[in-house]
Amino acid sequence: MSLAQEIKNNSKQTTTRKIIFFIFFLLIWYFFYQYFFSNTNKSADIAKELKTYSVKNWDLKTYIEWDWKVFIENEINLDFIEQWIIDKIYKKEWDYVKKWDLIAILSSDYFDIAVDKAELALRTAKANYEIKNRWWTISEVNISQRQLDSSIVWLDSTKSQAQIDLKNAQLDYSWQDISLKNIESQAKIDELTSESLVKNAQIDLDNKKNDLELTTTQEKEKYKNIQDSLIMEIWQLITQIEKNLFQLDLLLWVSKENKDQNDNYEKYLSAKNTNIKSLAIENYTLAKKDFDTFYSTWKENRQNLDYDKLNTYAQSLKEVAWLTNKSLNYTIESLKYSVESTPYFTQDIINNYISDFEKYLEDLKDDNASFSQKIMDLQEAKTSMDYKIKSLENEVVTYEQKYELAKNNLEKTILKNKSDISLATQKLEQSKTNIDNVEIKNNLLISNNQAQVEISKSLLDGKTEVDQIDLEPYYLAILTAQKNLDEAIKKRQDIKIISPIDWKITNIEWKVWEATNSLKNAFVTIIWANEFVVEAYIEESDIVKIKNNQQVYISFDSIDWLNLTWTVLYVNDKWYIDTNGLVSYKTQILFNTDNKIIKDGMSVTLQFVTKEMNNVIIIPVEAVRSINKKPNILLETKEYKQVTTWFTDWKMVEIISWLNNWDKILY
C-alpha cells in the first residue's frame, strides 16, 4: 500500500468516528431534554390542574373601548333608527319640547308583523323542546332518578327545617319573655312621653302664632316691592308707546304738525292697498286717544297712587300697547304695498321705514312681554301672600287641635299600657307550649321522609341513566328564538323619535310624509344649552355593533372617582376618513350631571357595551378543556364533565349546563 493510499484510508476512518460521536452526542442530549423538561411541563400541568375555583353567579359584558374628549354643543340631529313609513308628526318647528316628549312615529304595521313572527318562532321552539323533553320525562329512569333526588332533597330540607323550627320556637319564647319586660319598661316611657308631648304641643302652638305674625309682615312688604317694580315697568312702557306713536304720526300724518312732510308722499303710501293704510290710521287714532286718556289720569294720580287700582292701570296700558302694536303692523303692510316716488319717497326710503318700524314693533313686543310678566308676578304675589297667611291661620287652628289631642292621648296611653302587659303575659305562656308541639311534629315528618327515600332507591335499582345533553340543541333554539323576539320588540320600540332633552325644535323635514328613506338631512334638529357631548369616531369593523340608545360607560381621565352610565344618542350613517386613512363613523353620547367639575375638553374613555348578561354561572375561560372537540371541565372529584358554554368576555365564560353556584372545579 502506498503512503498516499494509507493517508486516504486514515482520513476516512477519522471522519467516520466523528460522525458516530456526533450522533451519540445528539442521542444523549435528546434523553437529557426529555427527562428534565418533560418532567417540568408535567409538574406545571399537575399544578395547574390542582388550582381550585368556586363557581359563582356574576355579570358578563363585552364592549368596544374608545378615547375622546368632552365638549359643549348647542344642536343635535335626530333620525329614525329604522327606515319605514311615517305615521304621524306630533311637533312643529320652534315648539318647546320636554325630555321624553314624542316627536314623530313610524307606522307599526311592519314591526307588529315581525314581532308576531318572532313570537310564533319562540312558541314553536318551546313546543319542540317540550315534545322532546316529555319523551324522556316519561322514561322510568328519569322518573325514578328524579323521585330519588327529590326524596333526598326533601329529607335534607325537612331535617334542616326541623332544626330551624325548633330553634325558632325557642327563640320565640326568649323573645316573648324579653318582650314582656320591654313592654313594662316601655309603658313607663310612653306615659312620660305623652306628658312631654302635651308640653311640646303648647310650645308649638305659641311658635306657630309668632310665625303667623312674622309672615304676615314679610309677605306684605314683598307684595309692596313687586308693586313698585310694576310702576317702573309702566313708566318704561309709557316711554316706548309714546315714541312709537310719534314715529307713526310722522309717516301716517294724523296730526297737523306732520302735514308738510307727509304731503310729499301721502298719495304713494297706500297706492296698492288703501284699506291697510286706513286700518293703520284707525288703530293709531284709537291708541293715541286711549294713551292720552291713560297718561292724563296716570300723571294726575301718580303722587297719591291708590295701589289697589294698580292692576287696573296696568291692564289699561296693556290695551294701549296692543292697539299700538296693531297700528305698527298695519303701517308696515302699508309700506310694503306702497309705490316709490322720486325723489321724496324712493324704494330705499320705503325699505328704511320698513326696517325701522319692524325694529319698533320688536322692541314693543319685548317690553310688552316683560310688562305682562310683571302683571302676572303681581297677581301671583297677591295670591301667594293670601295663601301663606291663610295657611298659617289654618295651621294655628291645627296646632290648637293637636294640643287638645295630646291631652287625650295621655289618658289613652295609660289604658293601653295596661292592656299590652296583659296580652304579652298570655303570649309568653303560649310560646312555652309551642316548643313541645314543634318537637313532636318534626319527629313525625323526618320518619316519613326517610321511608320515602328508601322507596325511591328501590325503584331506581337496575335502571340506566338517560343522556340529557341531547336536549341542549332544543334549549339553544329557544334562546335563539327569544333573542330574535327581543330584537323584533326592540325595533318596534325604536319606531319613535323621542326628545332626549328639554329645549326647542329648530327644524323638521315637513315635506317628508311617506317614507324615511327619502330623507337627505336629519329628520329633526333640536337645540339645547348646558349639556355635555362626547363624540367618538368608530371604525367600520366595529360600527355594526353600536346602535342608538346602546349603553355606554363613561370614565374621566382626570377624575378617577367619577364614572357615568349613559346611552348612545346618535350614530351617523355617513362615513368619514380619519388621519390614518381608515373609514370611521361619528357617534354622539349626550349626558348631563350635577358635577360642576366637568369642563369642556376633558379627556374620557368610552366603553360601548355590545352585549351584557346578568347573574349567570361563570368560570375562567382557561378552565374549559376540549376533549373530543367538546368542552369539558374538571370537577373537584378529579372527574371530567362535558358542559355547554355560551357567552364569554374572553376572560370568563358562561356555563348553561351541569354546574351550580358554589360548585368547586379544578384548572
Side-chain angles (χ1 to χ4, degrees), residues 50-183:
L50 293 179
K51 189 175 181 180
T52 303
Y53 177 81
S54 295
V55 178
K56 61 183 178 182
N57 286 72
W58 205 251
D59 299 335
L60 287 180
K61 67 179 179 182
T62 56
Y63 55 84
I64 300 170
E65 191 170 282
W66 197 263
D67 295 330
W68 211 248
K69 292 184 179 295
V70 173
F71 65 93
I72 300 176
E73 194 174 69
N74 291 325
E75 182 176 289
I76 178 173
N77 296 314
L78 299 178
D79 278 324
F80 289 101
I81 297 176
E82 303 292 337
Q83 290 190 348
W84 190 236
I85 298 171
I86 298 175
D87 182 46
K88 188 172 182 181
I89 301 175
Y90 295 89
K91 302 291 183 182
K92 56 182 179 294
E93 292 179 353
W94 303 113
D95 274 357
Y96 282 92
V97 292
K98 294 289 185 181
K99 189 173 184 179
W100 311 126
D101 275 359
L102 181 60
I103 298 175
I105 188 170
L106 301 179
S107 173
S108 63
D109 296 343
Y110 169 79
F111 301 97
D112 290 340
I113 292 173
V115 171
D116 292 341
K117 288 183 178 180
E119 289 176 342
L120 179 60
L122 178 60
R123 288 197 296 271
T124 302
K126 289 181 177 179
N128 291 336
Y129 177 85
E130 291 298 328
I131 291 172
K132 196 71 175 178
N133 186 47
R134 190 178 298 114
W135 181 82
W136 278 314
T137 302
I138 62 175
S139 77
E140 295 180 359
V141 173
N142 290 338
I143 294 173
S144 299
Q145 182 63 54
R146 289 171 183 168
Q147 285 178 343
L148 176 59
D149 294 342
S150 178
S151 299
I152 293 173
V153 170
W154 189 252
L155 175 60
D156 294 339
S157 176
T158 301
K159 289 180 179 179
S160 299
Q161 190 61 45
Q163 295 176 353
I164 294 172
D165 290 345
L166 180 59
K167 185 176 181 180
N168 287 340
Q170 293 170 342
L171 289 174
D172 182 65
Y173 177 79
S174 300
W175 184 86
Q176 294 296 344
D177 184 44
I178 295 171
S179 178
L180 175 59
K181 296 176 181 177
N182 289 340
I183 289 173

Side-chain angles (χ1 to χ4, degrees), residues 226-238 240-241 311 314-315 317-318 321 325 361-380:
I226 295 177
Q227 286 178 321
D228 293 339
S229 177
L230 179 58
I231 291 172
M232 294 178 64
E233 289 285 341
I234 289 175
W235 278 113
Q236 182 176 344
L237 188 56
I238 286 172
Q240 183 68 21
I241 292 173
N311 188 60
Q315 295 297 335
L317 185 58
K318 188 176 180 182
N325 182 294
L361 180 62
E362 188 63 29
D363 291 344
L364 180 59
K365 286 182 179 179
D366 292 343
D367 288 347
N368 197 31
S370 176
F371 182 66
S372 298
Q373 183 61 46
K374 285 296 181 181
I375 295 175
M376 291 177 61
D377 291 345
L378 181 66
Q379 294 170 346
E380 290 175 359

Side-chain angles (χ1 to χ4, degrees), residues 628-658:
N628 295 327
K629 298 182 179 180
K630 293 183 178 180
N632 283 261
I633 52 95
L634 183 60
L635 301 177
E636 193 177 28
T637 58
K638 303 296 180 66
E639 174 188 3
Y640 280 100
K641 191 69 176 180
Q642 184 177 331
V643 296
T644 302
T645 59
W646 197 242
F647 180 62
T648 179
D649 62 357
W650 308 111
K651 295 179 182 178
M652 308 299 288
V653 62
E654 178 186 359
I655 303 297
I656 61 174
S657 67
W658 296 111

Side-chain angles (χ1 to χ4, degrees), residues 259-268 341 344-345:
K259 181 178 186 311
D260 293 338
Q261 178 181 345
N262 184 263
D263 282 344
N264 293 325
Y265 52 80
E266 177 185 5
K267 61 183 179 181
Y268 306 106
S341 169
Y344 302 107
F345 204 55

